Amino acid sequence: LVFTEEDKYGLYSNLLFKYFLAEGVVCGHDLFVASAKEHPDHILKELPAPLLDDTYRNELGEEATAVKSEDFQDSMKIAWRYQNLPKIEASPTTSTKFGHYYDVSKTMSPELFQSVKWHSFYLHEELSLQPKMKTCNMNSAYARLLQSIQRIIYQEGFDGSDPQKKQKNILRIGIQSLGSMLWGDDICSSDTPEDINSLTKFLYVLRGLLRKSLSACIITVPAHLIQNKAIMERVTNLSDTVVGLESFIGSERETNPLYKDYHGLVHVHQIPRLNSLICDVSDTKDLAFRLKRKLFTIERLHLPPDLSDTVSRASKQDLAESAKLLSSGCGAMAIGKKHLDF
Amino acid sequence: QGKFTLLRDTRTDGSFLVHHFLSFYLRAGCKVCFVALVQSFSHYNIVAQKLGVNLTAAKERGQLVFLEGLKSCLDLLFGEEEEQSGQPSPLQFISESASNLKALFDFVRTSLTPAGSDSWKGPVLLVDDLSVLLSLGATPVAVLDFIHYCRVAVCSQLKGNIVVLVHSNEDSEDEENELVVNSLCHHSDLILWVEGLATGFCKDVHGQIKIIRRVSLELTAEQDHVQIYQYKIQDKNVTFFARGLSAAVL
């Protein structure tokens, strides 16, 4: 279960969401798209087109949707993916070709899309139906979504319940802007929400569904709107991967010379530790993303060269401050006390 | 015998301790009731195999009673009405409005009460992890009551041990969780507190573990014994060493 904390205006997390789904189309997986904001048909029409040109692949690093590696195993993983899975351009490992590249300026052709089976859940169309499962005090929109997912998993045999089905496939589930007011949950608008446990219960049941079947899921959540931080802590414990996207739009970092090449930062808060005692932690913790005209890349954040003679003391201090924030570490391994980071 | 051990992690993942205790008690021949709320059975099985224990075999010979929380929850919510005959689900509190963990306690007690033909050494209750119960809607008081009942049944009456994992954070805003954790700390005989290093992420030292033996509970006017080690997790085991003496440094 990949939990993605959305950036403030949702631009980049949407992009990530679409990349996940596009990869599913290219790999021939089934898709399930749920949203309360946009009709899933619209979302699916705007998937980026895959780049099938080899020269592009050689130039860039890997297209890293970490979730893809988990797809090819039978166990389900729920990854909370905060942010886009970073592509480490700084150290390309050309030997592994993992995933595909996408051209953001073009949308996916309808023919490619027809070959894939997809299901959608648009909240406002589903409101008329009554949930058949016990809602157990959960927000009814979440309950309906769970019921829908469970139904698809069961009917299409992703949970192995149909031994006749010869070819196993993977279901990619994408849920957009969970927890926002459009889903009927008030955790984003109030300090003391009415039902603080709806989202966490939903996640627990979703985790159970994912573990039981061949599916992977990405959820984006407007975490910056959630007032109650206790919810975020609980949610982090319930997910496999947690990634946060922080865009620079409108913040003071936009003009910070440290960040001039990038559009935002990628915070990896947690990575999955499944089926083993240890997890695979990469060397670098500081990742940033940028959106070029055709490509969305995530790279290792490196300081720009300090070439200017006239860099004032104030801006040097800013750089030092920003550098302090860089090495905050990854939750699955160890995060140091804040004031000791250096 | 009759000890309550609290596993606590802060800023890192202490689940390796759960795997350790599981394989430790199974190898010692104890009857184990494992309330596994966070991961699937196959995850624990795969790791246990690396540690040299087969969970499936242990289940078959009756040594291990495994409650797979995720699966139980799904059965509870999506199961058909007819399947609910017999015992109520241990996780019943999720669908009921009363926040009452009695069904879970009954499950634990029934699993660990020795049947006539059992020849296992002492019973053990292992919980991974308690903080999830709060996320599922149980109140902190209900969770503490549950632990209290378990202590009476398992530690006092059956002379068994309990090992529980909880998450905590230093400047956590999750007050309910902190309440449960602090209360459990006061009542534990042994606390294993796993923390990330204060200086941040390190490839060779994954964290530090504080072992607190609550000698003060024995009313002999002694202070608690505290020992601190650092550790590194490898694929099949964990190495512990004194602070600053990591193999990478020496």
Side-chain angles (χ1 to χ4, degrees):
Chain A
L1 174 57
V2 178
F3 185 87
T4 310
E5 267 178 0
E6 288 177 11
D7 52 301
K8 225 156 158 207
Y9 301 104
L11 296 168
Y12 301 109
S13 53
N14 253 345
L15 201 50
L16 194 54
F17 192 71
K18 289 183 185 148
Y19 263 82
F20 177 83
L21 297 173
E23 181 64 19
V25 173
V26 174
C27 293
H29 298 153
D30 285 4
L31 299 181
F32 181 106
V33 184
S35 171
K37 209 160 61 163
E38 278 174 72
H39 199 287
D41 290 344
H42 288 158
I43 301 177
L44 289 167
K45 285 203 181 72
E46 288 173 5
L47 295 181
L51 281 174
L52 298 168
D53 194 6
D54 268 303
T55 55
Y56 263 112
R57 257 187 230 151
N58 291 336
E59 261 179 65
L60 313 159
E62 304 170 297
E63 146 86 63
T65 313
V67 135
K68 281 185 230 129
S69 64
E70 295 144 24
D71 286 347
F72 297 116
Q73 297 166 29
D74 274 354
S75 57
M76 278 299 302
K77 293 191 172 105
I78 298 185
W80 290 97
R81 184 174 36 174
Y82 264 4
Q83 286 173 321
N84 301 317
L85 296 165
K87 279 175 249 187
I88 315 273
E89 200 182 285
S91 55
T93 43
T94 48
S95 52
T96 55
K97 225 162 31 170
F98 188 56
H100 303 86
Y101 296 102
Y102 296 91
D103 182 343
V104 191
S105 56
K106 300 194 206 116
T107 56
M108 191 177 274
S109 65
E111 299 90 42
L112 188 55
F113 195 62
Q114 302 301 348
S115 54
V116 160
K117 202 164 172 189
W118 57 277
H119 317 274
S120 72
F121 178 98
Y122 185 49
L123 183 63
H124 305 296
E125 279 172 10
E126 308 269 341
L127 283 177
S128 49
L129 307 165
Q130 282 300 319
K132 282 188 243 55
M133 59 178 262
K134 311 181 188 76
T135 45
C136 58
N137 305 329
M138 202 191 304
N139 179 331
S140 69
Y142 294 157
R144 273 179 243 272
L145 177 56
L146 280 175
Q147 191 189 338
S148 185
I149 296 178
Q150 192 265 347
R151 188 173 43 92
I152 299 292
I153 290 181
Y154 181 66
Q155 281 174 357
E156 305 285 328
F158 289 107
D159 57 356
S161 56
D162 185 6
Q164 308 290 15
K165 213 169 153 65
K166 2 139 269 211
Q167 213 180 12
K168 289 191 191 166
N169 201 351
I170 294 176
L171 178 67
R172 281 189 185 233
I173 304 176
I175 306 179
Q176 197 186 38
S177 274
L178 198 63
S180 72
M181 290 202 309
L182 294 166
W183 288 93
D185 199 348
D186 59 353
I187 52 179
C188 286
S189 54
S190 125
D191 219 349
T192 45
E194 202 184 298
D195 184 7
I196 206 174
N197 289 317
S198 250
L199 182 62
T200 45
K201 275 191 209 168
F202 170 83
L203 289 176
Y204 189 76
V205 180
L206 180 61
R207 190 181 167 103
L209 284 173
L210 293 177
R211 286 282 193 273
K212 204 175 90 143
S213 59
L214 293 171
S215 21
C217 177
I218 177 176
I219 298 188
T220 70
V221 168
H224 55 277
L225 294 174
I226 295 181
Q227 315 280 359
N228 188 335
K229 293 302 166 204
I231 299 183
M232 287 313 298
E233 289 175 29
R234 291 187 184 175
V235 146
T236 303
N237 285 333
L238 285 172
S239 355
D240 293 317
T241 308
V242 179
V243 177
L245 285 171
E246 181 192 342
S247 81
F248 295 145
I249 302 176
S251 80
E252 69 266 10
R253 293 194 185 172
E254 209 169 0
T255 45
N256 189 328
L258 176 61
Y259 298 128
K260 67 174 165 41
D261 290 331
Y262 304 104
H263 290 117
L265 292 177
V266 175
H267 301 287
V268 179
H269 292 272
Q270 184 162 281
I271 52 181
R273 188 188 293 230
L274 277 168
N275 294 335
S276 94
L277 281 174
I278 54 178
C279 52
D280 181 28
V281 190
S282 70
D283 280 334
T284 173
K285 296 275 165 303
D286 311 315
L287 299 163
F289 63 84
R290 75 173 109 166
L291 178 60
K292 297 194 264 220
R293 190 177 61 86
K294 279 193 169 192
L295 219 51
F296 179 88
T297 57
I298 299 181
E299 305 162 5
R300 231 180 249 175
L301 175 63
H302 54 273
L303 297 174
D306 193 8
L307 296 171
S308 157
D309 292 326
T310 58
V311 173
S312 67
R313 279 203 171 272
S315 64
K316 266 209 203 294
Q317 176 124 24
D318 274 347
L319 284 181
E321 277 297 314
S322 316
K324 251 195 237 170
L325 293 170
L326 285 183
S327 36
S328 46
C330 175
M333 298 303 293
I335 303 185
K337 293 198 176 74
K338 293 190 187 61
H339 60 276
L340 279 180
D341 278 339
F342 51 82
Chain B
Q1 294 288 76
K3 293 292 174 205
F4 186 95
T5 302
L6 184 68
L7 306 177
R8 180 177 177 179
D9 62 27
T10 302
R11 299 192 305 265
T12 186
D13 184 12
S15 57
F16 67 95
L17 288 172
V18 172
H19 294 296
H20 159 72
F21 276 104
L22 179 61
S23 45
F24 170 73
Y25 280 119
L26 283 176
R27 261 188 296 214
C30 296
K31 179 150 189 189
V32 178
C33 173
F34 187 13
V35 177
L37 297 171
V38 188
Q39 301 280 17
S40 61
F41 177 74
S42 63
H43 165 78
Y44 293 107
N45 202 9
I46 293 177
V47 181
Q49 274 170 3
K50 292 188 187 170
L51 298 177
V53 172
N54 189 334
L55 293 189
T56 323
K59 252 204 326 187
E60 278 166 19
R61 56 176 186 258
Q63 189 187 8
L64 171 66
V65 178
F66 193 96
L67 172 62
E68 190 175 347
L70 291 168
K71 188 156 150 314
S72 277
C73 184
L74 288 182
D75 290 338
L76 176 69
L77 295 183
F78 297 112
E80 302 298 326
E81 288 304 326
E82 311 91 56
E83 288 173 16
Q84 300 286 13
S85 63
Q87 302 113 322
S89 163
L91 294 183
Q92 213 175 11
F93 71 98
I94 300 180
S95 62
E96 289 178 357
S97 51
S99 168
N100 184 341
L101 294 170
K102 186 168 187 303
L104 189 56
F105 166 68
D106 287 334
F107 171 82
V108 168
R109 191 182 41 177
T110 340
S111 345
L112 287 180
T113 310
S117 56
D118 271 352
S119 58
W120 309 114
K121 303 199 187 87
V124 175
L125 168 64
L126 187 54
V127 180
D128 177 18
D129 66 71
L130 210 57
S131 305
V132 167
L133 290 176
L134 293 171
S135 301
L136 288 174
T139 57
V141 175
V143 173
L144 290 171
D145 282 343
F146 164 70
I147 289 291
H148 179 73
Y149 272 83
C150 287
R151 284 195 75 168
V152 170
V154 178
C155 294
S156 305
Q157 288 172 355
L158 298 173
K159 303 282 182 274
N161 293 332
I162 301 185
V163 179
V164 167
L165 173 67
V166 287
H167 298 298
S168 76
N169 260 329
E170 261 177 19
D171 35 4
S172 163
E173 291 200 17
D174 191 349
E175 286 167 6
E176 293 185 346
N177 191 36
E178 291 304 301
L179 178 70
V180 170
V181 172
N182 283 329
S183 178
L184 288 178
C185 275
H186 286 305
H187 292 126
S188 314
D189 296 303
L190 174 66
I191 304 177
L192 297 179
W193 192 348
V194 173
E195 294 177 279
L197 292 177
T199 43
F201 169 65
C202 170
K203 227 170 37 164
D204 296 301
V205 179
H206 290 158
Q208 84 176 16
I209 179 169
K210 225 188 255 183
I211 304 175
I212 307 177
R213 285 175 225 280
R214 312 262 353 263
V215 180
S216 57
L217 287 178
E218 291 168 24
L219 304 172
T220 52
E222 277 183 57
Q223 298 275 23
D224 292 339
H225 291 162
V226 179
Q227 288 168 300
I228 303 185
Y229 296 101
Q230 291 176 339
Y231 64 88
K232 177 179 175 162
I233 307 179
Q234 287 145 341
D235 192 43
K236 288 194 182 172
N237 72 350
V238 181
T239 43
F240 293 90
F241 38 86
R243 283 183 288 183
L245 295 181
S246 147
V249 167
L250 292 174

